[in-house]
Amino acid sequence: MGMCTRVSALTGAALIFGIPAAAIAADADAADVAVSNSPQDASGALTEIVVTAEKRPASLQKTPISISVLGADDIQNRHVQSLLDLSNGAIPSLRVAPFFSRNSALIVNIRGIGVLSDGNQPARDQGVGVYVDGVYLGRPQGLGAALFDIESIEVLKGPQGTLFGRNTEGGAVSITTRKPTGEFHADLTGGVGNFGYYKTEAHVDLPEFHNFSLKIDGIVTARDGTVRNPLSGAWGFNAYQRRGIHTQLQWKPAPNFTANYSYDTSYDASSSLYQQAIAGGTQARAPILPLQPTRADSASIGVPEQPSIGRNSGHGLFLEWQVAPSLTLKSISSYRELSQTQFDNAAATTMTLPAALAAGGQFARYSLAEFYQYQYSQEFQAIGDLGRLHYVVGAMGFHEHVRDNAQAFYTMKLNADGTVATVLPPPSSVVAAIPVNMPGAAVDRASRIGTDSYGVFGQFTWTPAILDDGLHLTAGARWTNDRKNGELYIINNKLPVDAYGVSRVLGFRKSWSRVDPMVNIAYDVTRDVHVYGKWSTGYKSGGANSRSLSYMPFNPETVSIFEIGAKTEFFDRHVRFNVAAYAGTYKNIQLDFVAPFYNLDANGNPITADATRTTLDTYNAPGNGRVRGVEAELLVAPVRGLTMSVNYAYTYVRIPDTFNPYATFVPGQGMVVNTTPIRIYTTYTPRNALSGAIDWERPFAGFTLTAHLDANYDDGFFTTSTAPVFKGDASTVFNGRIALTDIDLGTSDAKLTVSLWGRNLFNEQHRFYISGNAASGMSSFFNEPRTFGVEARVKF
């Protein structure tokens, strides 16, 4: 608290304390701005923030789009260690969730747009772009890894197709890490908590030597499962182990040129969430698999569960050359690799007795997957001014190669009356078609995909010499070409069979080109009141579904949004209120439909659905969907040392009703064609979400006392897009932190901070994912229980 951070044109964003409300920034044209970590300056007014949403440092308050920012203090106060920790709604318009039970792959939505269902595939993309220091991360796998010394997280809401390009139809999440300073600093943190939690974190900034500066960040953290697994030697559910190193070497041979080389490597091991049977259906339940209607602290029986392991590494080279006061050239070069295994036995205890006995007494279907990806990208930017015209122009190239495979088999067996369960030996009766995690189990599917994307963009803002220079007219566009070349080369442990009955590799090769324009009119009503109107578009790339039997390609989906907003401050910067409203169309929405995979009789007629094989095809929905919403952010500093904030988001997404393209097998009737369109539900998007926070600080002799409390509410959301659908529970979750900071250790610069933190302080429980049917009953994932811990941090 009370320390200042230098925010440069390269790093982008400054820090904001408290809930992520829009804030007044320093001079928009400044290339270097000193910004206090405290929410208030010495006079008690709200402090300022600078963002890089338009590729140049600019005042957040004068940037005419809806943005929320989490700074270093926000991340610390909410105990955010990975993007998954934002799942409780710190930014109401942003939703982060695991893919089903897998913390190893994340779903990221903004304003209800991003992923409707299954993004855990190599040939399909998400609709929200995640960037670290300007580098686009192409896969949802690996996003749950630990964060390194983060300076800020900017959440850009609405389509960002002009400046950020493909896969930003919902918006973008831009993460900025701290850069080398050229001065010696060390920051060491250690902590422990419940569920066996521990963390050790170190950041060392070395003095400049012959124009070179080096910064090293490292973290090791772990937690046992929040749901105990009674099987000896198996992992508990919702456990993790994470570690990583991030190094940066910066060369600054002249004041106007900087080269920064970055390397990071990380390890993320996590176990699946625990899916509980919460209500019975018409089918009997095995006595050994009872219902668990409230959040469980232990699984009903022990089952095999091992960690899903992700390994990420990457190189980055960032060049910035200020050619002249009115022109800056930037280059962002990157190469990254990712491997991710997935072991998912989350639904082990949800099977009913008849279903298990029908499978020979077998249950606890273990779902395994492997992903391997590498990507490289190059972006050039020219940022400058020509009198009253500000401009950003650039070009980007991106290449990605991904391959995956999946297996599934049962790991447990019931006796005839369901009173005893035993662990099955690892499968060995089948020889896997390719090298995989489990060599003795069949390979359900395997695919590979190569992607190339190229784009050029430009955005120009003109301030005419009228209305006291308060009118700003912006126009921009981006042309993008995407090319994908994929193969589905294994289905059910052998070559796929095409529509003509020929066994062969199924391939697709598609390309799409499009232009994403943007128009923005902004007006400075007064120095403290700014209004704007904006139209922008974005898209999510097309692809193919690797869970399909046909590998049928689908086309991009698109969003077109009109947005109006106001950014205001009052009472000498002691009150800040920002509001945005938007509406638009959502077209060619990518929808998944289950393509039933049936067991056949001797004549080739379907008799039962195969419970170990899920097949999906993706179609573009006909018609236009509708999107509308309101976002409001209020930040108040009533007295010195006290800051209060409230953020609210109303989100409405309507997807057009769509025919299920697949006939359904009905016993006694055969295959029945669906003739009635079905309702499609948007997922992971509450209609109403609210987040509020109180931050307080009080200096004393020799230390400062700080306290933070935040509350996060939403009214529940759907997690499946087609019936049967169930809405999750409404919830209110509180988080808090209290700390003694700036404790003098008797040396010139060393300071100690001791803090106590807690998440879900009141141990609230709610079901965020609910599924089921009349026969098998209902099952659910619950939110995490209360977690808490103590940390000590030394900075010098």
Side-chain angles (χ1 to χ4, degrees):
M1 309 288 284
M3 294 170 19
C4 289
T5 302
R6 301 291 296 177
V7 180
S8 71
L10 181 62
T11 60
L15 308 178
I16 185 171
F17 184 99
I19 209 74
I24 303 295
D27 183 357
D29 296 323
D32 259 331
V33 184
V35 182
S36 172
N37 286 354
S38 170
Q40 300 177 14
D41 62 20
S43 69
L46 295 169
T47 50
E48 301 175 328
I49 185 171
V50 170
V51 298
T52 54
E54 296 185 316
K55 303 292 187 180
R56 64 166 74 214
S59 161
L60 174 61
Q61 199 68 2
K62 293 181 180 179
T63 301
I65 63 174
S66 183
I67 313 173
S68 290
V69 179
L70 284 172
D73 284 335
D74 302 299
I75 293 167
Q76 177 178 261
N77 286 332
R78 292 174 175 269
H79 198 68
V80 173
Q81 298 193 101
S82 76
L83 286 180
L84 189 58
D85 291 328
L86 299 179
S87 61
N88 64 10
I91 298 174
S93 294
L94 171 69
R95 290 291 135 175
V96 180
F99 167 69
F100 188 60
S101 64
R102 306 179 190 186
N103 291 327
S104 55
L106 300 187
I107 291 172
V108 183
N109 287 357
I110 295 176
R111 291 180 171 178
I113 298 172
V115 176
L116 270 179
S117 54
D118 183 6
N120 194 39
Q121 295 188 34
R124 65 189 309 182
D125 297 306
Q126 299 213 81
V128 171
V130 178
Y131 296 78
V132 176
D133 291 331
V135 175
Y136 172 67
L137 303 183
R139 293 294 99 204
Q141 295 81 23
L143 293 182
L147 297 172
F148 293 107
D149 203 17
I150 301 303
E151 186 170 81
S152 68
I153 301 175
E154 297 179 23
V155 178
L156 286 60
K157 306 168 197 174
Q160 305 298 320
T162 300
L163 290 183
F164 287 84
R166 64 194 298 266
N167 302 330
T168 57
E169 58 173 357
V173 177
S174 180
I175 302 170
T176 301
T177 63
R178 286 194 175 104
K179 303 300 182 289
T181 63
E183 300 176 353
F184 177 75
H185 299 285
D187 187 342
L188 310 176
T189 300
V192 294
N194 62 338
F195 296 108
Y197 165 82
Y198 65 85
K199 181 178 80 167
T200 302
E201 189 172 355
H203 310 283
V204 179
D205 213 343
L206 297 178
E208 183 182 64
F209 180 74
H210 291 282
N211 300 322
F212 286 93
S213 303
L214 179 66
K215 184 173 184 291
I216 303 173
D217 308 304
I219 186 169
V220 177
T221 183
R223 188 187 68 190
D224 296 335
T226 57
V227 177
R228 188 176 68 88
N229 186 349
L231 180 64
S232 176
W235 270 50
F237 294 95
N238 197 29
Y240 63 77
Q241 293 179 359
R242 300 173 182 143
R243 58 181 180 265
I245 294 176
H246 181 210
T247 63
Q248 297 179 79
L249 180 64
Q250 182 170 284
W251 180 46
K252 196 175 180 68
N256 64 337
F257 181 82
T258 302
N260 184 294
Y261 166 74
S262 171
Y263 172 75
D264 66 90
T265 181
S266 65
Y267 171 93
D268 177 23
S270 64
S271 57
S272 62
L273 304 181
Y274 177 60
Q275 190 174 21
Q276 301 177 209
I278 57 175
T282 58
Q283 295 181 348
R285 296 197 60 78
I288 203 171
L289 302 175
L291 296 175
Q292 295 177 296
T294 60
R295 184 173 57 210
D297 56 13
S298 177
S300 55
I301 61 170
V303 298
E305 176 71 17
Q306 64 194 90
S308 302
I309 296 176
R311 291 181 170 89
N312 275 278
S313 63
H315 303 263
L317 180 62
F318 308 87
L319 307 178
E320 180 174 339
W321 179 27
Q322 188 176 5
V323 181
S326 59
L327 176 61
T328 298
L329 302 180
K330 292 185 179 182
S331 169
I332 301 174
S333 310
S334 175
Y335 174 83
R336 301 196 61 81
E337 292 182 347
L338 161 71
S339 68
Q340 179 70 62
T341 62
Q342 295 180 345
F343 295 85
D344 183 359
N345 215 352
T349 65
T350 62
M351 183 172 278
T352 60
L353 181 58
L357 295 179
Q362 296 182 343
F363 72 106
R365 176 182 179 271
Y366 213 5
S367 179
L368 279 60
E370 294 178 276
F371 292 85
Y372 300 93
Q373 182 246 21
Y374 68 84
Q375 65 171 70
Y376 50 84
S377 61
Q378 175 63 56
E379 181 169 356
F380 296 106
Q381 301 171 11
I383 305 164
D385 308 293
L386 293 172
R388 293 181 171 271
L389 183 69
H390 302 289
Y391 64 87
V392 178
V393 296
M396 180 181 179
F398 173 84
H399 174 80
E400 176 185 39
H401 184 273
V402 195
R403 58 184 173 91
D404 80 326
N405 64 71
Q407 299 172 276
F409 51 88
Y410 291 119
T411 59
M412 304 289 292
K413 186 171 184 177
L414 284 173
N415 65 348
D417 61 3
T419 58
V420 177
T422 56
V423 178
L424 290 169
S428 59
S429 59
V430 177
V431 177
I434 56 174
V436 286
N437 280 320
M438 193 63 62
V443 178
D444 286 346
R445 67 180 188 273
S447 68
R448 49 189 168 238
I449 179 78
T451 299
D452 289 286
S453 180
Y454 303 94
V456 293
F457 61 90
Q459 180 170 302
F460 304 86
T461 300
W462 177 48
T463 301
I466 59 174
L467 301 175
D468 296 325
D469 294 340
L471 181 65
H472 312 285
L473 307 176
T474 301
R478 185 187 195 106
W479 173 84
T480 307
N481 177 260
D482 288 341
R483 301 174 185 176
K484 290 191 174 183
N485 183 6
E487 294 181 337
L488 180 63
Y489 60 97
I490 292 179
I491 294 179
N492 300 327
N493 212 45
K494 57 186 179 182
L495 280 174
V497 178
D498 67 15
Y500 302 99
V502 178
S503 295
R504 65 178 182 88
V505 172
L506 301 179
F508 90 96
R509 183 189 297 267
K510 291 277 287 184
S511 64
W512 303 271
S513 293
R514 62 174 283 113
V515 174
D516 284 297
M518 187 276 290
V519 176
N520 195 311
I521 301 174
Y523 180 58
D524 305 327
V525 180
T526 69
R527 186 192 67 176
D528 300 327
V529 177
H530 313 277
V531 297
Y532 67 90
K534 176 188 177 187
W535 171 63
S536 61
T537 67
Y539 79 102
K540 179 167 67 175
S541 182
N545 196 317
S546 61
R547 297 182 190 273
S548 169
L549 297 178
S550 63
Y551 211 42
M552 178 183 67
F554 52 84
N555 289 318
E557 65 179 35
T558 63
V559 173
S560 174
I561 297 290
F562 290 90
E563 177 181 320
I564 59 172
K567 299 188 174 185
T568 66
E569 62 180 6
F570 307 97
F571 305 113
D572 196 21
R573 288 195 299 135
H574 284 72
V575 176
R576 187 170 300 141
F577 178 68
N578 293 352
V579 63
Y582 59 90
T585 57
Y586 193 9
K587 297 181 179 180
N588 298 314
I589 303 168
Q590 296 166 6
L591 301 180
D592 290 344
F593 291 95
V594 175
F597 184 67
Y598 293 105
N599 296 309
L600 306 179
D601 63 17
N603 298 317
N605 298 313
I607 50 175
T608 58
D610 188 334
T612 66
R613 181 75 167 95
T614 300
T615 58
L616 295 173
D617 272 318
T618 303
Y619 289 79
N620 294 99
N624 293 338
R626 298 292 176 183
V627 180
R628 64 175 182 266
V630 175
E631 296 155 343
E633 302 182 338
L634 175 67
L635 186 62
V636 180
V639 296
R640 183 74 181 95
L642 178 65
T643 307
M644 300 178 291
S645 59
V646 177
N647 286 0
Y648 170 74
Y650 166 82
T651 307
Y652 174 84
V653 179
R654 182 70 167 92
I655 300 171
D657 294 351
T658 305
F659 287 95
N660 185 340
Y662 293 104
T664 302
F665 174 73
V666 179
Q669 300 180 44
M671 303 302 292
V672 177
V673 176
N674 298 291
T675 59
T676 303
I678 60 175
R679 172 76 184 275
I680 307 295
Y681 295 82
T682 189
T683 58
Y684 298 96
T685 303
R687 183 70 60 89
N688 297 280
L690 182 73
S691 183
I694 299 175
D695 290 283
W696 176 78
E697 65 178 14
R698 172 73 184 275
F700 292 90
F703 67 92
T704 299
L705 176 64
T706 69
H708 168 89
L709 179 68
D710 64 75
N712 308 276
Y713 165 82
D714 71 63
D715 56 2
F717 47 81
F718 299 102
T719 50
T720 54
S721 59
T722 57
V725 298
F726 305 93
K727 188 177 182 181
D729 299 330
S731 63
T732 303
V733 175
F734 289 82
N735 308 304
R737 181 176 182 268
I738 188 168
L740 298 177
T741 71
D742 296 332
I743 302 172
D744 193 347
L745 294 182
T747 62
S748 58
D749 296 319
K751 300 290 182 181
L752 170 68
T753 295
V754 179
S755 60
L756 178 67
W757 61 266
R759 289 175 61 87
N760 192 9
L761 289 173
F762 301 107
N763 208 28
E764 183 267 1
Q765 63 175 281
H766 64 272
R767 303 165 301 176
F768 71 87
Y769 183 106
I770 304 174
S771 63
N773 55 57
S776 62
M778 308 289 290
S779 61
S780 179
F781 293 120
F782 282 80
N783 67 314
E784 288 190 352
R786 175 172 49 227
T787 55
F788 56 86
V790 61
E791 290 185 350
R793 179 180 185 182
V794 178
K795 299 177 68 174
F796 52 90

